[in-house]
Amino acid sequence: MKHRVRKKPLRTKGGKKKPRSFGGDDDPFFESDTKWRGKGRDADDDDDLESLESDDEPANNWGEEEEAAEPEETADEKRVRMAREHLEKIRAIARKVEEEEEGEEGDEEEGREEGDEGRRDSLVAEILQKDQHEDSGRVRRFLASRVLSPEILDEFRLLLKHRQSVTAVALAEDDSRGFSASKDGSILHWDVESGKSEKYLWPSEDALISHYAKAPQNPSTKRSKHVLTLAVSSDRRFLASGGLDRHIHLWDTRTREHIQAFHGHKGPVSCLTFRQGTSQLFSGSFDRTIKLWNAEDRTHMDNLFGHQSEILTIDCLRKERILTAGRDRTMRLWKVPEESQLIFRAPASSLECGCFINDSEFLSGSDDGSIELWSILRKKPTHIIKNAHASPIYPNDHLHKEVLERMPDGGNTENGICKSESYSSANSWISSVAVCRGSDLAATGASDGVVRLWAIESDNKGIRPLFSYPLVGFINSLAFAKSGRFLLAGVGQEPRLGRWGRVPAARNGVAIHSIRLKEE
């Protein structure tokens, strides 16, 4: 009898693990014999992370057996194409600015073509440098001070409907298209301006298995299509979805076709994020693990371990650093190249959501209704606002009261800001947070009937309340436009991760609220 010989994982020069192609009949995740290598965890010390190593042989490349197809665009060619497209957009902006300036000055001078060309190039360079600094987090845009108070008629507008509660919304890099998913399994992409939507159709079970999905353990049960999370790549080519079937599904946004299923998680996939500017994908699950994937190459890259309970949220900027939060009352900053992690402990409650402000600051929301501001230099929050959605401390709360008057029982429902004697802490459960990229403007959502806007003060000075925007329902997901001109909210009658509450007056769908800003 021939025995199978186990080989150690291949490593490239420099000690990094060689990416493994995703596919084949064997499941390398469930059959691997792994060891945890690392220091013992201490409540007050940072933990060093050693990734688990698989002893399995590398699976065969999934694409080797396929017939030869037309040559695809290489990674270098793709980067060049995207750079040229971005440069053309910047040049168009520069031409528009130049035309406006010329219109103000009149046609007094002629024959300035050469000077105009040089001026245009310097303007393009200035815009590119500004964008690069903002994307890298070295320059913060001060949007919070420019937000104008909403007027009486300003409110969330329902952009499109879903049959059941919306669990996730995502926005493309250029703010033109949005994506949403629901508990009913539907995934839609839509135009932000018109609201015109198109649906992603789930393939048959046989097609999913041919895309390397694992068949259900019980053949008589149907695969769950309940979606919990979405993420879209920076180049707008890939959409990733995850949910109760424990798979990560990769979709082509140009054709809306299913192209790959990544298996390996042993619990529901609760959160996904793409690293900005790359096809690197990170996933978090109820199985307490984080997995790294490459959407371009369809490969599984690595596993990260450390959380002691379900992982609920994940975020990533341009650096290879991941921010996660879970029900073990910790937020963790993973330094992927160094294979290490920093642990930040919540004071008294479970962290339900969180996101980066920049590479050294982040924001979180808890199930006790508090929001926390964190710094990479401290293991405890630098600033906490308790009962952030409980008290009417906001400049425009008279708008909120007018909306509550139009609600059943005058707003004295599970979803209203209840009177003090009937107020429930569950209503202030912070279910979503979002930060406008590269700025000091943040938003939080709960089930109290409003979305709150916040200003993040410089130098860790704290969080200042701005305005409240009325919206009936559980605010399960939030997404800011990069320009800061509007805010998207995924709302539903039920919370994202359960059915412990219900708001019959809510409308399941995606709502949009414009944000009026003072001109610079």
Side-chain angles (χ1 to χ4, degrees):
M1 181 177 176
K2 190 175 180 179
H3 294 280
R4 183 182 178 187
V5 178
R6 291 187 177 269
K7 297 180 181 180
K8 291 187 178 181
L10 298 177
R11 288 185 176 268
T12 58
K13 188 175 181 180
K16 291 292 180 183
K17 280 193 277 188
K18 184 176 180 180
R20 206 175 38 218
S21 209
F22 194 85
D25 295 330
D26 294 334
D27 186 347
F29 304 107
F30 292 98
E31 294 180 1
S32 59
D33 180 15
T34 57
K35 289 185 178 182
W36 165 253
R37 298 183 295 114
K39 300 177 182 178
R41 284 182 295 273
D42 189 275
D44 295 320
D45 293 335
D46 298 336
D47 290 0
D48 289 336
L49 175 70
E50 290 287 342
S51 300
L52 294 190
E53 297 184 354
S54 171
D55 291 333
D56 283 325
E57 298 179 12
N60 292 329
N61 193 309
W62 68 273
E64 289 179 355
E65 298 178 1
E66 296 182 358
E67 295 181 1
E70 296 181 3
E72 295 184 359
E73 186 180 41
T74 65
D76 289 337
E77 290 172 344
K78 175 187 159 189
R79 280 193 288 269
V80 171
R81 174 180 57 80
M82 291 180 63
R84 284 176 177 167
E85 290 175 357
H86 183 62
L87 186 58
E88 285 303 317
K89 290 179 182 178
I90 299 299
R91 283 174 175 164
I93 293 172
R95 280 194 295 269
K96 187 176 179 181
V97 172
E98 198 173 54
E99 288 170 2
E100 290 175 356
E101 290 178 354
E102 288 178 356
E104 293 175 0
E105 294 173 2
D107 298 327
E108 297 176 0
E109 300 181 20
E110 295 182 1
R112 298 188 305 171
E113 287 82 1
E114 294 182 4
D116 289 347
E117 190 73 25
R119 198 151 54 95
R120 190 180 304 131
D121 289 343
S122 63
L123 184 58
V124 167
E126 185 180 335
I127 294 172
L128 286 172
Q129 187 178 32
K130 182 180 177 183
D131 289 346
Q132 195 271 335
H133 284 169
E134 289 176 353
D135 287 342
S136 65
R138 285 183 286 178
V139 175
R140 178 179 291 185
R141 293 181 295 158
F142 295 100
L143 292 182
S145 59
R146 294 172 52 201
V147 177
L148 298 174
S149 177
E151 298 177 352
I152 296 295
L153 297 178
D154 284 349
E155 58 183 17
F156 270 99
R157 171 175 60 89
L158 192 67
L159 193 62
L160 75 157
K161 297 179 181 178
H162 280 265
R163 287 192 292 113
Q164 294 184 25
S165 296
V166 172
T167 54
V169 293
L171 197 57
E173 188 79 9
D174 60 358
D175 291 348
S176 63
R177 282 197 299 171
F179 304 82
S180 56
S182 168
K183 286 186 176 183
D184 59 19
S186 63
I187 300 175
L188 302 177
H189 87 216
W190 27 270
D191 184 84
V192 171
E193 289 188 4
S194 65
K196 183 180 178 182
S197 63
E198 295 175 311
K199 190 174 183 179
Y200 285 64
L201 298 177
W202 286 91
S204 64
E205 182 63 26
D206 290 339
L208 284 173
I209 291 175
S210 71
H211 292 171
Y212 305 107
K214 282 290 183 181
Q217 293 181 351
N218 186 351
S220 62
T221 61
K222 274 191 173 183
R223 181 185 302 275
S224 173
K225 295 178 181 177
H226 185 134
V227 182
L228 293 175
T229 179
L230 290 176
V232 60
S233 61
S234 297
D235 60 4
R236 307 185 298 279
R237 287 179 56 202
F238 299 113
L239 177 70
S241 66
L244 297 187
D245 71 342
R246 305 183 298 178
H247 285 68
I248 297 148
H249 298 278
L250 199 63
W251 307 80
D252 189 330
T253 59
R254 297 165 295 184
T255 61
R256 304 192 307 282
E257 292 181 354
H258 187 278
I259 55 177
Q260 185 80 16
F262 296 134
H263 60 263
H265 280 297
K266 298 179 181 179
V269 179
S270 54
C271 47
L272 292 166
T273 185
F274 277 97
R275 181 183 165 202
Q276 289 178 15
T278 73
S279 59
Q280 200 171 7
L281 176 66
F282 304 95
S283 61
S285 169
F286 278 24
D287 65 6
R288 303 178 293 178
T289 67
I290 300 160
K291 294 186 182 293
L292 283 64
W293 317 84
N294 190 308
E296 186 77 44
D297 301 332
R298 319 283 200 270
T299 55
H300 169 249
M301 304 296 292
D302 208 347
N303 300 316
L304 302 177
F305 299 85
H307 275 288
Q308 302 302 304
S309 189
E310 296 98 333
I311 299 171
L312 302 182
T313 188
I314 191 168
D315 194 21
C316 183
L317 297 178
R318 285 194 174 272
K319 289 185 178 181
E320 269 192 287
R321 293 185 177 184
I322 317 168
L323 184 70
T324 59
R327 287 200 172 128
D328 56 1
R329 290 173 50 189
T330 68
M331 179 175 284
R332 298 176 185 240
L333 180 66
W334 307 80
K335 299 179 180 180
V336 179
E338 294 88 346
E339 296 185 344
S340 66
Q341 56 177 305
L342 300 177
I343 301 178
F344 305 87
R345 301 190 182 278
S349 57
S350 170
L351 297 172
E352 291 295 309
C353 47
C355 64
F356 275 110
I357 300 170
N358 52 46
D359 288 328
S360 59
E361 292 179 294
F362 17 96
L363 188 68
S364 66
S366 302
D367 61 2
D368 66 350
S370 63
I371 58 176
E372 300 87 17
L373 178 64
W374 304 79
S375 168
I376 196 173
L377 302 176
R378 293 184 60 184
K379 295 182 181 180
K380 294 182 179 180
T382 60
H383 194 76
I384 300 176
I385 292 186
K386 295 183 178 180
N387 297 321
H389 278 245
S391 305
I393 59 174
Y394 303 88
N396 66 323
D397 271 327
H398 63 282
L399 300 180
H400 185 208
K401 293 175 183 177
E402 292 185 9
V403 172
L404 290 180
E405 290 173 359
R406 301 200 297 267
M407 292 170 57
D409 301 325
N412 194 20
T413 65
E414 291 183 3
N415 185 246
I417 284 192
C418 304
K419 297 177 181 179
S420 57
E421 62 269 17
S422 61
Y423 187 81
S424 169
S425 61
N427 290 349
S428 65
W429 182 308
I430 307 297
S431 52
S432 55
V433 299
V435 173
C436 185
R437 190 192 302 174
S439 78
D440 61 345
L441 183 62
T444 58
S447 60
D448 67 331
V450 291
V451 173
R452 309 285 196 189
L453 286 190
W454 307 85
I456 302 168
E457 304 287 354
S458 301
D459 301 324
N460 296 320
K461 290 182 180 178
I463 311 170
R464 175 170 51 87
L466 290 177
F467 305 109
S468 58
Y469 296 155
L471 182 59
V472 179
F474 286 92
I475 317 302
N476 293 322
S477 183
L478 290 169
F480 263 112
K482 190 177 178 182
S483 64
R485 295 285 178 179
F486 62 87
L487 177 66
L488 293 172
V491 63
Q493 295 181 347
E494 298 176 351
R496 180 174 82 103
L497 297 176
R499 304 190 67 182
W500 49 263
R502 184 170 176 81
V503 182
R507 301 172 71 185
N508 299 320
V510 178
I512 185 171
H513 197 297
S514 60
I515 299 175
R516 299 186 302 120
L517 300 175
K518 295 177 186 176
E519 295 300 326
E520 288 184 296

